[in-house]
Amino acid sequence: MPTSPPSTPATLLAAALRRDAAAPLVTFYDDVSGERTELSATTLANWVAKTANLLQEEFDVGPGSTVGVALPVHWQTAAVLLGTWSCGAAVLETAAEDDDRLTAADVVLADADRLPPLEELGLAELLGLSLHPLGMGMTGYTGPARDFALEVRGQGDVFSPWQPVDPAGTGLVLGGGSLTLAGLADTATELAGRLGIAAGDRVMVDERAATEAGPVAWLLAPLAAGASLVLCRAAAPSGLAHRAATERVTATLGLSLDGIRELGRPA
């Protein structure tokens, strides 16, 4: 009897597209800048394809490559992570105090604020992200890093890897451990069940909790469950209840709101 190929992060995104391509998949709030950005599965997949094409075409990223990701929880970070995994490459995540570990990466993507110390490491390839609400480039930057927003804009909207993606290839290197691409999908599915994420859930995620938990929890587990995300950066507590109502939030991760299910906590 034929068996289905193992799931990977790319197939989790493809499943979201099949479920409902037009529905909101990631909604991002930044209470410092006042930003609200909403991406449907189609829009996120477009950003992912452009990012994957940029990494493959300009930096030869593919199976066996390592991509350093020095970015905060953000909708563009979701595109970078999924773009890297679409190439079949490994993501290397580091805290700011561990920047020197990024020297092992073939290319590093970092937010503009982290560029100065990274420039001193002599990295082979460095891309900077402004994280601008409209995806605009870095302003006033004169260093050696290439500008992600300018580079990604002209890339294709459809991605095809040059080499077949191996689900057994390394997908995430974090601390002293690693997960394969298939392991990321499997772990996300298991974690979604353990946390109690249900299909159709609208999950509000706090930046602090997401940073501590990592991308398997804040990005891949909701994808695996068939849920959508409301990411909150620098969230003002006084406005969260109203936001949850406006966004029709059904569950939270790292937040306690009256009348809304908190994931991972007993009912």
Side-chain angles (χ1 to χ4, degrees):
M1 175 181 282
T3 57
S4 300
S7 292
T8 66
T11 61
L12 296 181
L13 178 60
L17 276 167
R18 291 193 298 270
R19 281 192 301 272
D20 193 337
L25 184 61
V26 177
T27 305
F28 176 78
Y29 282 89
D30 186 329
D31 284 359
V32 173
S33 66
E35 172 186 358
R36 180 189 182 276
T37 301
E38 184 169 278
L39 291 82
S40 65
T42 296
T43 304
L44 178 60
N46 180 261
W47 272 91
V48 170
K50 285 180 174 293
T51 301
N53 278 315
L54 171 61
L55 293 173
Q56 181 173 258
E57 298 281 346
E58 298 295 327
F59 302 99
D60 295 324
V61 170
S65 300
T66 301
V67 176
V69 178
L71 294 167
V73 174
H74 194 276
W75 67 265
Q76 290 186 41
T77 304
V80 167
L81 292 169
L82 290 166
T84 299
W85 290 323
S86 296
C87 293
V91 167
L92 171 62
E93 277 207 325
T94 68
E97 59 269 20
D98 297 325
D99 278 347
D100 57 348
R101 292 187 62 231
L102 292 169
T103 56
D106 298 296
V107 57
V108 174
L109 293 92
D111 70 275
D113 291 342
R114 281 184 74 172
L115 289 178
L118 293 177
E119 291 165 4
E120 298 176 5
L121 298 176
L123 300 171
E125 302 286 1
L126 182 60
L127 275 166
L129 282 78
S130 68
L131 302 180
H132 189 280
L134 300 178
M136 296 175 64
M138 298 183 290
T139 56
Y141 177 75
T142 58
R146 294 165 69 171
D147 193 321
F148 172 82
L150 302 182
E151 300 274 350
V152 81
R153 195 170 296 157
Q155 299 297 323
D157 296 334
V158 177
F159 174 71
S160 296
W162 290 340
Q163 303 176 54
V165 172
D166 181 6
T170 303
L172 180 65
V173 179
L174 188 61
S178 65
L179 284 170
T180 65
L181 292 164
L184 282 169
D186 289 344
T187 301
T189 301
E190 186 275 333
L191 181 59
R194 186 149 46 88
L195 291 173
I197 308 175
D201 263 339
R202 188 92 165 121
V203 182
M204 179 179 281
V205 183
D206 172 61
E207 175 193 22
R208 177 193 53 77
T211 301
E212 292 175 357
V216 176
W218 72 260
L219 176 59
L220 295 183
L223 269 182
S228 61
L229 281 168
V230 179
L231 295 175
C232 298
R233 187 180 187 193
S238 60
L240 287 178
H242 179 263
R243 179 174 301 166
T246 301
E247 296 290 349
R248 299 182 179 179
V249 168
T250 59
T252 63
L253 181 63
L255 294 167
S256 295
L257 296 177
D258 288 343
I260 298 179
R261 187 169 92 258
E262 186 174 357
L263 297 172
R265 296 292 178 90

